[in-house]
Amino acid sequence: MPHTTVEYSGTLAEALDRPAFGKALHEALVTVAGGRAGGCKTRFVRHDDLWIADGSPHHAMVHVEISLLSGRTPEVKRALTEAVLAALREHTAPTPQYAVQFSVDLRDLDREAYVGHQEPESAS
């Protein structure tokens, strides 16, 4: 925990520095929201078939959806989404040929209902 999904236009595959953004994202989840570093999980999902705005090919997007256990204040949530948006912009190279839409959404997971388990590492 936390779980993050980063969906992005395939046209931004070279512009989005996924490893650097992932590192900055996990750091923000730990320092701003009090997440556990070992529990951070991020999935990057490339989309090559998108319809954005009027459908013209010069549109692109990156959307980050974060799921955290409930209990954070609105101020912490806002600080986290702002930090993630700043990191996203920092780790996406300029693409003047595209009108890029960046967005971040944070969702609470019900603490009473969420179940997660990590298997211990095996000694090899």
Side-chain angles (χ1 to χ4, degrees), residues 5-13 16 18 43-52 57 59-64:
T5 302
V6 181
E7 296 182 87
Y8 63 97
S9 298
T11 53
L12 299 177
L16 177 59
R18 293 179 300 281
R43 294 174 298 281
F44 289 91
V45 181
R46 175 181 169 153
H47 294 286
D48 292 311
D49 190 16
L50 292 172
W51 187 271
I52 301 170
H59 291 289
M61 66 91 178
V62 183
H63 176 71
V64 179

mmCIF file with all atom_site columns, all heavy atoms in Angstrom, residues 5-13 16 18 43-52 57 59-64:
data_model
loop_
_atom_site.group_PDB
_atom_site.id
_atom_site.type_symbol
_atom_site.label_atom_id
_atom_site.label_alt_id
_atom_site.label_comp_id
_atom_site.label_asym_id
_atom_site.label_entity_id
_atom_site.label_seq_id
_atom_site.pdbx_PDB_ins_code
_atom_site.Cartn_x
_atom_site.Cartn_y
_atom_site.Cartn_z
_atom_site.occupancy
_atom_site.B_iso_or_equiv
_atom_site.pdbx_formal_charge
_atom_site.auth_seq_id
_atom_site.auth_comp_id
_atom_site.auth_asym_id
_atom_site.auth_atom_id
_atom_site.pdbx_PDB_model_num
ATOM 1   N N   . THR A 1 5  ? -1.673  3.906  -10.333 1.00 0.00 ? 5  THR A N   1
ATOM 2   C CA  . THR A 1 5  ? -1.715  3.585  -11.744 1.00 0.00 ? 5  THR A CA  1
ATOM 3   C C   . THR A 1 5  ? -1.445  4.871  -12.520 1.00 0.00 ? 5  THR A C   1
ATOM 4   O O   . THR A 1 5  ? -2.068  5.897  -12.242 1.00 0.00 ? 5  THR A O   1
ATOM 5   C CB  . THR A 1 5  ? -3.082  3.012  -12.156 1.00 0.00 ? 5  THR A CB  1
ATOM 6   O OG1 . THR A 1 5  ? -3.345  1.845  -11.370 1.00 0.00 ? 5  THR A OG1 1
ATOM 7   C CG2 . THR A 1 5  ? -3.103  2.642  -13.629 1.00 0.00 ? 5  THR A CG2 1
ATOM 8   N N   . VAL A 1 6  ? -0.503  4.800  -13.443 1.00 0.00 ? 6  VAL A N   1
ATOM 9   C CA  . VAL A 1 6  ? -0.163  5.936  -14.291 1.00 0.00 ? 6  VAL A CA  1
ATOM 10  C C   . VAL A 1 6  ? -0.544  5.558  -15.719 1.00 0.00 ? 6  VAL A C   1
ATOM 11  O O   . VAL A 1 6  ? 0.062   4.664  -16.307 1.00 0.00 ? 6  VAL A O   1
ATOM 12  C CB  . VAL A 1 6  ? 1.344   6.281  -14.211 1.00 0.00 ? 6  VAL A CB  1
ATOM 13  C CG1 . VAL A 1 6  ? 1.667   7.487  -15.083 1.00 0.00 ? 6  VAL A CG1 1
ATOM 14  C CG2 . VAL A 1 6  ? 1.779   6.507  -12.768 1.00 0.00 ? 6  VAL A CG2 1
ATOM 15  N N   . GLU A 1 7  ? -1.570  6.206  -16.242 1.00 0.00 ? 7  GLU A N   1
ATOM 16  C CA  . GLU A 1 7  ? -1.999  5.972  -17.613 1.00 0.00 ? 7  GLU A CA  1
ATOM 17  C C   . GLU A 1 7  ? -1.467  7.116  -18.469 1.00 0.00 ? 7  GLU A C   1
ATOM 18  O O   . GLU A 1 7  ? -1.555  8.281  -18.062 1.00 0.00 ? 7  GLU A O   1
ATOM 19  C CB  . GLU A 1 7  ? -3.517  5.934  -17.699 1.00 0.00 ? 7  GLU A CB  1
ATOM 20  C CG  . GLU A 1 7  ? -4.133  4.788  -16.929 1.00 0.00 ? 7  GLU A CG  1
ATOM 21  C CD  . GLU A 1 7  ? -5.630  4.765  -17.077 1.00 0.00 ? 7  GLU A CD  1
ATOM 22  O OE1 . GLU A 1 7  ? -6.121  4.158  -18.045 1.00 0.00 ? 7  GLU A OE1 1
ATOM 23  O OE2 . GLU A 1 7  ? -6.297  5.384  -16.226 1.00 0.00 ? 7  GLU A OE2 1
ATOM 24  N N   . TYR A 1 8  ? -0.914  6.773  -19.639 1.00 0.00 ? 8  TYR A N   1
ATOM 25  C CA  . TYR A 1 8  ? -0.330  7.825  -20.465 1.00 0.00 ? 8  TYR A CA  1
ATOM 26  C C   . TYR A 1 8  ? -0.504  7.515  -21.945 1.00 0.00 ? 8  TYR A C   1
ATOM 27  O O   . TYR A 1 8  ? -0.595  6.355  -22.351 1.00 0.00 ? 8  TYR A O   1
ATOM 28  C CB  . TYR A 1 8  ? 1.148   8.037  -20.126 1.00 0.00 ? 8  TYR A CB  1
ATOM 29  C CG  . TYR A 1 8  ? 2.028   6.837  -20.397 1.00 0.00 ? 8  TYR A CG  1
ATOM 30  C CD1 . TYR A 1 8  ? 2.757   6.736  -21.579 1.00 0.00 ? 8  TYR A CD1 1
ATOM 31  C CD2 . TYR A 1 8  ? 2.126   5.799  -19.465 1.00 0.00 ? 8  TYR A CD2 1
ATOM 32  C CE1 . TYR A 1 8  ? 3.561   5.631  -21.825 1.00 0.00 ? 8  TYR A CE1 1
ATOM 33  C CE2 . TYR A 1 8  ? 2.921   4.695  -19.707 1.00 0.00 ? 8  TYR A CE2 1
ATOM 34  C CZ  . TYR A 1 8  ? 3.632   4.624  -20.894 1.00 0.00 ? 8  TYR A CZ  1
ATOM 35  O OH  . TYR A 1 8  ? 4.426   3.524  -21.149 1.00 0.00 ? 8  TYR A OH  1
ATOM 36  N N   . SER A 1 9  ? -0.549  8.567  -22.731 1.00 0.00 ? 9  SER A N   1
ATOM 37  C CA  . SER A 1 9  ? -0.634  8.431  -24.177 1.00 0.00 ? 9  SER A CA  1
ATOM 38  C C   . SER A 1 9  ? 0.646   7.802  -24.696 1.00 0.00 ? 9  SER A C   1
ATOM 39  O O   . SER A 1 9  ? 1.751   8.176  -24.293 1.00 0.00 ? 9  SER A O   1
ATOM 40  C CB  . SER A 1 9  ? -0.800  9.805  -24.835 1.00 0.00 ? 9  SER A CB  1
ATOM 41  O OG  . SER A 1 9  ? -1.980  10.436 -24.422 1.00 0.00 ? 9  SER A OG  1
ATOM 42  N N   . GLY A 1 10 ? 0.492   6.874  -25.641 1.00 0.00 ? 10 GLY A N   1
ATOM 43  C CA  . GLY A 1 10 ? 1.650   6.236  -26.238 1.00 0.00 ? 10 GLY A CA  1
ATOM 44  C C   . GLY A 1 10 ? 2.591   7.222  -26.900 1.00 0.00 ? 10 GLY A C   1
ATOM 45  O O   . GLY A 1 10 ? 3.800   6.992  -26.967 1.00 0.00 ? 10 GLY A O   1
ATOM 46  N N   . THR A 1 11 ? 2.057   8.342  -27.353 1.00 0.00 ? 11 THR A N   1
ATOM 47  C CA  . THR A 1 11 ? 2.889   9.365  -27.986 1.00 0.00 ? 11 THR A CA  1
ATOM 48  C C   . THR A 1 11 ? 3.860   10.007 -27.001 1.00 0.00 ? 11 THR A C   1
ATOM 49  O O   . THR A 1 11 ? 4.819   10.656 -27.415 1.00 0.00 ? 11 THR A O   1
ATOM 50  C CB  . THR A 1 11 ? 2.024   10.465 -28.622 1.00 0.00 ? 11 THR A CB  1
ATOM 51  O OG1 . THR A 1 11 ? 1.118   10.960 -27.630 1.00 0.00 ? 11 THR A OG1 1
ATOM 52  C CG2 . THR A 1 11 ? 1.245   9.931  -29.805 1.00 0.00 ? 11 THR A CG2 1
ATOM 53  N N   . LEU A 1 12 ? 3.641   9.792  -25.692 1.00 0.00 ? 12 LEU A N   1
ATOM 54  C CA  . LEU A 1 12 ? 4.531   10.353 -24.670 1.00 0.00 ? 12 LEU A CA  1
ATOM 55  C C   . LEU A 1 12 ? 5.508   9.318  -24.108 1.00 0.00 ? 12 LEU A C   1
ATOM 56  O O   . LEU A 1 12 ? 6.212   9.594  -23.141 1.00 0.00 ? 12 LEU A O   1
ATOM 57  C CB  . LEU A 1 12 ? 3.702   10.935 -23.515 1.00 0.00 ? 12 LEU A CB  1
ATOM 58  C CG  . LEU A 1 12 ? 2.750   12.060 -23.872 1.00 0.00 ? 12 LEU A CG  1
ATOM 59  C CD1 . LEU A 1 12 ? 1.950   12.494 -22.641 1.00 0.00 ? 12 LEU A CD1 1
ATOM 60  C CD2 . LEU A 1 12 ? 3.495   13.240 -24.474 1.00 0.00 ? 12 LEU A CD2 1
ATOM 61  N N   . ALA A 1 13 ? 5.566   8.149  -24.720 1.00 0.00 ? 13 ALA A N   1
ATOM 62  C CA  . ALA A 1 13 ? 6.400   7.066  -24.190 1.00 0.00 ? 13 ALA A CA  1
ATOM 63  C C   . ALA A 1 13 ? 7.854   7.475  -24.013 1.00 0.00 ? 13 ALA A C   1
ATOM 64  O O   . ALA A 1 13 ? 8.492   7.101  -23.027 1.00 0.00 ? 13 ALA A O   1
ATOM 65  C CB  . ALA A 1 13 ? 6.302   5.832  -25.085 1.00 0.00 ? 13 ALA A CB  1
ATOM 66  N N   . LEU A 1 16 ? 8.033   10.666 -21.119 1.00 0.00 ? 16 LEU A N   1
ATOM 67  C CA  . LEU A 1 16 ? 7.793   10.388 -19.704 1.00 0.00 ? 16 LEU A CA  1
ATOM 68  C C   . LEU A 1 16 ? 8.904   9.489  -19.161 1.00 0.00 ? 16 LEU A C   1
ATOM 69  O O   . LEU A 1 16 ? 9.047   8.340  -19.578 1.00 0.00 ? 16 LEU A O   1
ATOM 70  C CB  . LEU A 1 16 ? 6.434   9.702  -19.516 1.00 0.00 ? 16 LEU A CB  1
ATOM 71  C CG  . LEU A 1 16 ? 6.061   9.268  -18.097 1.00 0.00 ? 16 LEU A CG  1
ATOM 72  C CD1 . LEU A 1 16 ? 6.042   10.449 -17.136 1.00 0.00 ? 16 LEU A CD1 1
ATOM 73  C CD2 . LEU A 1 16 ? 4.715   8.551  -18.106 1.00 0.00 ? 16 LEU A CD2 1
ATOM 74  N N   . ARG A 1 18 ? 9.703   7.264  -16.813 1.00 0.00 ? 18 ARG A N   1
ATOM 75  C CA  . ARG A 1 18 ? 8.975   6.433  -15.852 1.00 0.00 ? 18 ARG A CA  1
ATOM 76  C C   . ARG A 1 18 ? 9.806   6.076  -14.615 1.00 0.00 ? 18 ARG A C   1
ATOM 77  O O   . ARG A 1 18 ? 9.297   6.196  -13.499 1.00 0.00 ? 18 ARG A O   1
ATOM 78  C CB  . ARG A 1 18 ? 8.395   5.209  -16.555 1.00 0.00 ? 18 ARG A CB  1
ATOM 79  C CG  . ARG A 1 18 ? 7.293   5.616  -17.552 1.00 0.00 ? 18 ARG A CG  1
ATOM 80  C CD  . ARG A 1 18 ? 6.679   4.458  -18.299 1.00 0.00 ? 18 ARG A CD  1
ATOM 81  N NE  . ARG A 1 18 ? 7.605   3.681  -19.112 1.00 0.00 ? 18 ARG A NE  1
ATOM 82  C CZ  . ARG A 1 18 ? 8.055   4.048  -20.310 1.00 0.00 ? 18 ARG A CZ  1
ATOM 83  N NH1 . ARG A 1 18 ? 7.684   5.192  -20.836 1.00 0.00 ? 18 ARG A NH1 1
ATOM 84  N NH2 . ARG A 1 18 ? 8.868   3.270  -20.987 1.00 0.00 ? 18 ARG A NH2 1
ATOM 85  N N   . ARG A 1 43 ? 1.912   1.006  -11.331 1.00 0.00 ? 43 ARG A N   1
ATOM 86  C CA  . ARG A 1 43 ? 1.757   0.372  -12.644 1.00 0.00 ? 43 ARG A CA  1
ATOM 87  C C   . ARG A 1 43 ? 1.667   1.471  -13.696 1.00 0.00 ? 43 ARG A C   1
ATOM 88  O O   . ARG A 1 43 ? 0.902   2.419  -13.541 1.00 0.00 ? 43 ARG A O   1
ATOM 89  C CB  . ARG A 1 43 ? 0.475   -0.470 -12.672 1.00 0.00 ? 43 ARG A CB  1
ATOM 90  C CG  . ARG A 1 43 ? 0.526   -1.652 -11.731 1.00 0.00 ? 43 ARG A CG  1
ATOM 91  C CD  . ARG A 1 43 ? -0.805  -2.392 -11.659 1.00 0.00 ? 43 ARG A CD  1
ATOM 92  N NE  . ARG A 1 43 ? -1.926  -1.610 -11.162 1.00 0.00 ? 43 ARG A NE  1
ATOM 93  C CZ  . ARG A 1 43 ? -2.160  -1.348 -9.870  1.00 0.00 ? 43 ARG A CZ  1
ATOM 94  N NH1 . ARG A 1 43 ? -1.324  -1.775 -8.946  1.00 0.00 ? 43 ARG A NH1 1
ATOM 95  N NH2 . ARG A 1 43 ? -3.207  -0.660 -9.507  1.00 0.00 ? 43 ARG A NH2 1
ATOM 96  N N   . PHE A 1 44 ? 2.480   1.342  -14.743 1.00 0.00 ? 44 PHE A N   1
ATOM 97  C CA  . PHE A 1 44 ? 2.432   2.272  -15.867 1.00 0.00 ? 44 PHE A CA  1
ATOM 98  C C   . PHE A 1 44 ? 1.666   1.596  -17.001 1.00 0.00 ? 44 PHE A C   1
ATOM 99  O O   . PHE A 1 44 ? 1.996   0.478  -17.391 1.00 0.00 ? 44 PHE A O   1
ATOM 100 C CB  . PHE A 1 44 ? 3.845   2.640  -16.336 1.00 0.00 ? 44 PHE A CB  1
ATOM 101 C CG  . PHE A 1 44 ? 4.571   3.517  -15.356 1.00 0.00 ? 44 PHE A CG  1
ATOM 102 C CD1 . PHE A 1 44 ? 5.369   2.965  -14.369 1.00 0.00 ? 44 PHE A CD1 1
ATOM 103 C CD2 . PHE A 1 44 ? 4.455   4.900  -15.417 1.00 0.00 ? 44 PHE A CD2 1
ATOM 104 C CE1 . PHE A 1 44 ? 6.041   3.768  -13.457 1.00 0.00 ? 44 PHE A CE1 1
ATOM 105 C CE2 . PHE A 1 44 ? 5.120   5.712  -14.511 1.00 0.00 ? 44 PHE A CE2 1
ATOM 106 C CZ  . PHE A 1 44 ? 5.912   5.149  -13.529 1.00 0.00 ? 44 PHE A CZ  1
ATOM 107 N N   . VAL A 1 45 ? 0.651   2.277  -17.506 1.00 0.00 ? 45 VAL A N   1
ATOM 108 C CA  . VAL A 1 45 ? -0.198  1.721  -18.545 1.00 0.00 ? 45 VAL A CA  1
ATOM 109 C C   . VAL A 1 45 ? -0.184  2.669  -19.746 1.00 0.00 ? 45 VAL A C   1
ATOM 110 O O   . VAL A 1 45 ? -0.657  3.808  -19.650 1.00 0.00 ? 45 VAL A O   1
ATOM 111 C CB  . VAL A 1 45 ? -1.651  1.524  -18.052 1.00 0.00 ? 45 VAL A CB  1
ATOM 112 C CG1 . VAL A 1 45 ? -2.514  0.918  -19.143 1.00 0.00 ? 45 VAL A CG1 1
ATOM 113 C CG2 . VAL A 1 45 ? -1.680  0.682  -16.784 1.00 0.00 ? 45 VAL A CG2 1
ATOM 114 N N   . ARG A 1 46 ? 0.370   2.177  -20.835 1.00 0.00 ? 46 ARG A N   1
ATOM 115 C CA  . ARG A 1 46 ? 0.447   2.959  -22.078 1.00 0.00 ? 46 ARG A CA  1
ATOM 116 C C   . ARG A 1 46 ? -0.830  2.729  -22.889 1.00 0.00 ? 46 ARG A C   1
ATOM 117 O O   . ARG A 1 46 ? -1.280  1.597  -23.051 1.00 0.00 ? 46 ARG A O   1
ATOM 118 C CB  . ARG A 1 46 ? 1.667   2.505  -22.872 1.00 0.00 ? 46 ARG A CB  1
ATOM 119 C CG  . ARG A 1 46 ? 1.779   3.155  -24.223 1.00 0.00 ? 46 ARG A CG  1
ATOM 120 C CD  . ARG A 1 46 ? 2.998   2.627  -24.960 1.00 0.00 ? 46 ARG A CD  1
ATOM 121 N NE  . ARG A 1 46 ? 2.968   3.062  -26.344 1.00 0.00 ? 46 ARG A NE  1
ATOM 122 C CZ  . ARG A 1 46 ? 4.039   3.237  -27.092 1.00 0.00 ? 46 ARG A CZ  1
ATOM 123 N NH1 . ARG A 1 46 ? 5.235   2.979  -26.590 1.00 0.00 ? 46 ARG A NH1 1
ATOM 124 N NH2 . ARG A 1 46 ? 3.924   3.626  -28.338 1.00 0.00 ? 46 ARG A NH2 1
ATOM 125 N N   . HIS A 1 47 ? -1.369  3.829  -23.415 1.00 0.00 ? 47 HIS A N   1
ATOM 126 C CA  . HIS A 1 47 ? -2.558  3.756  -24.260 1.00 0.00 ? 47 HIS A CA  1
ATOM 127 C C   . HIS A 1 47 ? -2.231  4.315  -25.644 1.00 0.00 ? 47 HIS A C   1
ATOM 128 O O   . HIS A 1 47 ? -1.788  5.455  -25.769 1.00 0.00 ? 47 HIS A O   1
ATOM 129 C CB  . HIS A 1 47 ? -3.721  4.569  -23.663 1.00 0.00 ? 47 HIS A CB  1
ATOM 130 C CG  . HIS A 1 47 ? -4.234  4.014  -22.382 1.00 0.00 ? 47 HIS A CG  1
ATOM 131 N ND1 . HIS A 1 47 ? -4.998  2.866  -22.323 1.00 0.00 ? 47 HIS A ND1 1
ATOM 132 C CD2 . HIS A 1 47 ? -4.097  4.431  -21.106 1.00 0.00 ? 47 HIS A CD2 1
ATOM 133 C CE1 . HIS A 1 47 ? -5.312  2.612  -21.057 1.00 0.00 ? 47 HIS A CE1 1
ATOM 134 N NE2 . HIS A 1 47 ? -4.775  3.546  -20.300 1.00 0.00 ? 47 HIS A NE2 1
ATOM 135 N N   . ASP A 1 48 ? -2.441  3.496  -26.652 1.00 0.00 ? 48 ASP A N   1
ATOM 136 C CA  . ASP A 1 48 ? -2.215  3.931  -28.018 1.00 0.00 ? 48 ASP A CA  1
ATOM 137 C C   . ASP A 1 48 ? -3.510  4.240  -28.748 1.00 0.00 ? 48 ASP A C   1
ATOM 138 O O   . ASP A 1 48 ? -3.482  4.683  -29.890 1.00 0.00 ? 48 ASP A O   1
ATOM 139 C CB  . ASP A 1 48 ? -1.422  2.861  -28.788 1.00 0.00 ? 48 ASP A CB  1
ATOM 140 C CG  . ASP A 1 48 ? -0.004  2.747  -28.274 1.00 0.00 ? 48 ASP A CG  1
ATOM 141 O OD1 . ASP A 1 48 ? 0.664   3.796  -28.132 1.00 0.00 ? 48 ASP A OD1 1
ATOM 142 O OD2 . ASP A 1 48 ? 0.436   1.625  -27.994 1.00 0.00 ? 48 ASP A OD2 1
ATOM 143 N N   . ASP A 1 49 ? -4.630  4.020  -28.107 1.00 0.00 ? 49 ASP A N   1
ATOM 144 C CA  . ASP A 1 49 ? -5.927  4.251  -28.721 1.00 0.00 ? 49 ASP A CA  1
ATOM 145 C C   . ASP A 1 49 ? -6.750  5.121  -27.775 1.00 0.00 ? 49 ASP A C   1
ATOM 146 O O   . ASP A 1 49 ? -7.520  4.610  -26.965 1.00 0.00 ? 49 ASP A O   1
ATOM 147 C CB  . ASP A 1 49 ? -6.620  2.911  -28.991 1.00 0.00 ? 49 ASP A CB  1
ATOM 148 C CG  . ASP A 1 49 ? -7.872  3.061  -29.842 1.00 0.00 ? 49 ASP A CG  1
ATOM 149 O OD1 . ASP A 1 49 ? -8.045  4.123  -30.473 1.00 0.00 ? 49 ASP A OD1 1
ATOM 150 O OD2 . ASP A 1 49 ? -8.677  2.120  -29.853 1.00 0.00 ? 49 ASP A OD2 1
ATOM 151 N N   . LEU A 1 50 ? -6.554  6.434  -27.875 1.00 0.00 ? 50 LEU A N   1
ATOM 152 C CA  . LEU A 1 50 ? -7.248  7.380  -27.003 1.00 0.00 ? 50 LEU A CA  1
ATOM 153 C C   . LEU A 1 50 ? -8.024  8.389  -27.832 1.00 0.00 ? 50 LEU A C   1
ATOM 154 O O   . LEU A 1 50 ? -7.641  8.714  -28.949 1.00 0.00 ? 50 LEU A O   1
ATOM 155 C CB  . LEU A 1 50 ? -6.235  8.156  -26.141 1.00 0.00 ? 50 LEU A CB  1
ATOM 156 C CG  . LEU A 1 50 ? -5.491  7.376  -25.079 1.00 0.00 ? 50 LEU A CG  1
ATOM 157 C CD1 . LEU A 1 50 ? -4.404  8.239  -24.469 1.00 0.00 ? 50 LEU A CD1 1
ATOM 158 C CD2 . LEU A 1 50 ? -6.447  6.905  -24.000 1.00 0.00 ? 50 LEU A CD2 1
ATOM 159 N N   . TRP A 1 51 ? -9.076  8.894  -27.246 1.00 0.00 ? 51 TRP A N   1
ATOM 160 C CA  . TRP A 1 51 ? -9.833  9.993  -27.837 1.00 0.00 ? 51 TRP A CA  1
ATOM 161 C C   . TRP A 1 51 ? -9.821  11.106 -26.798 1.00 0.00 ? 51 TRP A C   1
ATOM 162 O O   . TRP A 1 51 ? -10.430 10.989 -25.741 1.00 0.00 ? 51 TRP A O   1
ATOM 163 C CB  . TRP A 1 51 ? -11.265 9.572  -28.151 1.00 0.00 ? 51 TRP A CB  1
ATOM 164 C CG  . TRP A 1 51 ? -12.019 10.618 -28.899 1.00 0.00 ? 51 TRP A CG  1
ATOM 165 C CD1 . TRP A 1 51 ? -12.755 11.635 -28.356 1.00 0.00 ? 51 TRP A CD1 1
ATOM 166 C CD2 . TRP A 1 51 ? -12.095 10.768 -30.305 1.00 0.00 ? 51 TRP A CD2 1
ATOM 167 N NE1 . TRP A 1 51 ? -13.293 12.401 -29.339 1.00 0.00 ? 51 TRP A NE1 1
ATOM 168 C CE2 . TRP A 1 51 ? -12.902 11.894 -30.554 1.00 0.00 ? 51 TRP A CE2 1
ATOM 169 C CE3 . TRP A 1 51 ? -11.566 10.076 -31.379 1.00 0.00 ? 51 TRP A CE3 1
ATOM 170 C CZ2 . TRP A 1 51 ? -13.194 12.341 -31.835 1.00 0.00 ? 51 TRP A CZ2 1
ATOM 171 C CZ3 . TRP A 1 51 ? -11.866 10.524 -32.652 1.00 0.00 ? 51 TRP A CZ3 1
ATOM 172 C CH2 . TRP A 1 51 ? -12.664 11.629 -32.870 1.00 0.00 ? 51 TRP A CH2 1
ATOM 173 N N   . ILE A 1 52 ? -9.083  12.178 -27.086 1.00 0.00 ? 52 ILE A N   1
ATOM 174 C CA  . ILE A 1 52 ? -8.956  13.296 -26.155 1.00 0.00 ? 52 ILE A CA  1
ATOM 175 C C   . ILE A 1 52 ? -9.484  14.552 -26.840 1.00 0.00 ? 52 ILE A C   1
ATOM 176 O O   . ILE A 1 52 ? -9.180  14.805 -28.010 1.00 0.00 ? 52 ILE A O   1
ATOM 177 C CB  . ILE A 1 52 ? -7.485  13.499 -25.729 1.00 0.00 ? 52 ILE A CB  1
ATOM 178 C CG1 . ILE A 1 52 ? -6.953  12.228 -25.075 1.00 0.00 ? 52 ILE A CG1 1
ATOM 179 C CG2 . ILE A 1 52 ? -7.359  14.691 -24.779 1.00 0.00 ? 52 ILE A CG2 1
ATOM 180 C CD1 . ILE A 1 52 ? -5.454  12.236 -24.839 1.00 0.00 ? 52 ILE A CD1 1
ATOM 181 N N   . PRO A 1 57 ? -4.909  14.360 -33.291 1.00 0.00 ? 57 PRO A N   1
ATOM 182 C CA  . PRO A 1 57 ? -3.747  13.609 -32.814 1.00 0.00 ? 57 PRO A CA  1
ATOM 183 C C   . PRO A 1 57 ? -2.726  14.431 -32.038 1.00 0.00 ? 57 PRO A C   1
ATOM 184 O O   . PRO A 1 57 ? -1.781  13.862 -31.494 1.00 0.00 ? 57 PRO A O   1
ATOM 185 C CB  . PRO A 1 57 ? -3.126  13.060 -34.105 1.00 0.00 ? 57 PRO A CB  1
ATOM 186 C CG  . PRO A 1 57 ? -3.600  13.956 -35.186 1.00 0.00 ? 57 PRO A CG  1
ATOM 187 C CD  . PRO A 1 57 ? -4.955  14.459 -34.749 1.00 0.00 ? 57 PRO A CD  1
ATOM 188 N N   . HIS A 1 59 ? -3.296  15.897 -29.252 1.00 0.00 ? 59 HIS A N   1
ATOM 189 C CA  . HIS A 1 59 ? -3.632  15.838 -27.825 1.00 0.00 ? 59 HIS A CA  1
ATOM 190 C C   . HIS A 1 59 ? -2.965  14.622 -27.191 1.00 0.00 ? 59 HIS A C   1
ATOM 191 O O   . HIS A 1 59 ? -2.849  13.564 -27.812 1.00 0.00 ? 59 HIS A O   1
ATOM 192 C CB  . HIS A 1 59 ? -5.147  15.732 -27.620 1.00 0.00 ? 59 HIS A CB  1
ATOM 193 C CG  . HIS A 1 59 ? -5.886  16.962 -28.000 1.00 0.00 ? 59 HIS A CG  1
ATOM 194 N ND1 . HIS A 1 59 ? -5.823  18.127 -27.268 1.00 0.00 ? 59 HIS A ND1 1
ATOM 195 C CD2 . HIS A 1 59 ? -6.702  17.215 -29.055 1.00 0.00 ? 59 HIS A CD2 1
ATOM 196 C CE1 . HIS A 1 59 ? -6.574  19.043 -27.846 1.00 0.00 ? 59 HIS A CE1 1
ATOM 197 N NE2 . HIS A 1 59 ? -7.121  18.510 -28.944 1.00 0.00 ? 59 HIS A NE2 1
ATOM 198 N N   . ALA A 1 60 ? -2.551  14.765 -25.946 1.00 0.00 ? 60 ALA A N   1
ATOM 199 C CA  . ALA A 1 60 ? -1.955  13.662 -25.189 1.00 0.00 ? 60 ALA A CA  1
ATOM 200 C C   . ALA A 1 60 ? -2.293  13.856 -23.718 1.00 0.00 ? 60 ALA A C   1
ATOM 201 O O   . ALA A 1 60 ? -2.702  14.947 -23.298 1.00 0.00 ? 60 ALA A O   1
ATOM 202 C CB  . ALA A 1 60 ? -0.441  13.619 -25.389 1.00 0.00 ? 60 ALA A CB  1
ATOM 203 N N   . MET A 1 61 ? -2.104  12.800 -22.943 1.00 0.00 ? 61 MET A N   1
ATOM 204 C CA  . MET A 1 61 ? -2.442  12.911 -21.522 1.00 0.00 ? 61 MET A CA  1
ATOM 205 C C   . MET A 1 61 ? -1.598  11.977 -20.673 1.00 0.00 ? 61 MET A C   1
ATOM 206 O O   . MET A 1 61 ? -1.088  10.956 -21.140 1.00 0.00 ? 61 MET A O   1
ATOM 207 C CB  . MET A 1 61 ? -3.925  12.637 -21.292 1.00 0.00 ? 61 MET A CB  1
ATOM 208 C CG  . MET A 1 61 ? -4.379  11.226 -21.574 1.00 0.00 ? 61 MET A CG  1
ATOM 209 S SD  . MET A 1 61 ? -4.254  10.293 -20.047 1.00 0.00 ? 61 MET A SD  1
ATOM 210 C CE  . MET A 1 61 ? -4.852  8.711  -20.454 1.00 0.00 ? 61 MET A CE  1
ATOM 211 N N   . VAL A 1 62 ? -1.468  12.378 -19.395 1.00 0.00 ? 62 VAL A N   1
ATOM 212 C CA  . VAL A 1 62 ? -0.936  11.509 -18.355 1.00 0.00 ? 62 VAL A CA  1
ATOM 213 C C   . VAL A 1 62 ? -1.865  11.671 -17.169 1.00 0.00 ? 62 VAL A C   1
ATOM 214 O O   . VAL A 1 62 ? -2.105  12.790 -16.696 1.00 0.00 ? 62 VAL A O   1
ATOM 215 C CB  . VAL A 1 62 ? 0.506   11.883 -17.935 1.00 0.00 ? 62 VAL A CB  1
ATOM 216 C CG1 . VAL A 1 62 ? 1.022   10.891 -16.899 1.00 0.00 ? 62 VAL A CG1 1
ATOM 217 C CG2 . VAL A 1 62 ? 1.441   11.961 -19.127 1.00 0.00 ? 62 VAL A CG2 1
ATOM 218 N N   . HIS A 1 63 ? -2.411  10.563 -16.702 1.00 0.00 ? 63 HIS A N   1
ATOM 219 C CA  . HIS A 1 63 ? -3.316  10.580 -15.549 1.00 0.00 ? 63 HIS A CA  1
ATOM 220 C C   . HIS A 1 63 ? -2.780  9.630  -14.492 1.00 0.00 ? 63 HIS A C   1
ATOM 221 O O   . HIS A 1 63 ? -2.454  8.474  -14.786 1.00 0.00 ? 63 HIS A O   1
ATOM 222 C CB  . HIS A 1 63 ? -4.732  10.151 -15.954 1.00 0.00 ? 63 HIS A CB  1
ATOM 223 C CG  . HIS A 1 63 ? -5.662  10.057 -14.786 1.00 0.00 ? 63 HIS A CG  1
ATOM 224 N ND1 . HIS A 1 63 ? -6.117  11.171 -14.114 1.00 0.00 ? 63 HIS A ND1 1
ATOM 225 C CD2 . HIS A 1 63 ? -6.190  8.989  -14.156 1.00 0.00 ? 63 HIS A CD2 1
ATOM 226 C CE1 . HIS A 1 63 ? -6.909  10.782 -13.122 1.00 0.00 ? 63 HIS A CE1 1
ATOM 227 N NE2 . HIS A 1 63 ? -6.963  9.464  -13.127 1.00 0.00 ? 63 HIS A NE2 1
ATOM 228 N N   . VAL A 1 64 ? -2.681  10.136 -13.261 1.00 0.00 ? 64 VAL A N   1
ATOM 229 C CA  . VAL A 1 64 ? -2.183  9.349  -12.138 1.00 0.00 ? 64 VAL A CA  1
ATOM 230 C C   . VAL A 1 64 ? -3.333  9.128  -11.166 1.00 0.00 ? 64 VAL A C   1
ATOM 231 O O   . VAL A 1 64 ? -3.969  10.081 -10.724 1.00 0.00 ? 64 VAL A O   1
ATOM 232 C CB  . VAL A 1 64 ? -1.026  10.077 -11.412 1.00 0.00 ? 64 VAL A CB  1
ATOM 233 C CG1 . VAL A 1 64 ? -0.519  9.257  -10.234 1.00 0.00 ? 64 VAL A CG1 1
ATOM 234 C CG2 . VAL A 1 64 ? 0.100   10.403 -12.384 1.00 0.00 ? 64 VAL A CG2 1
#
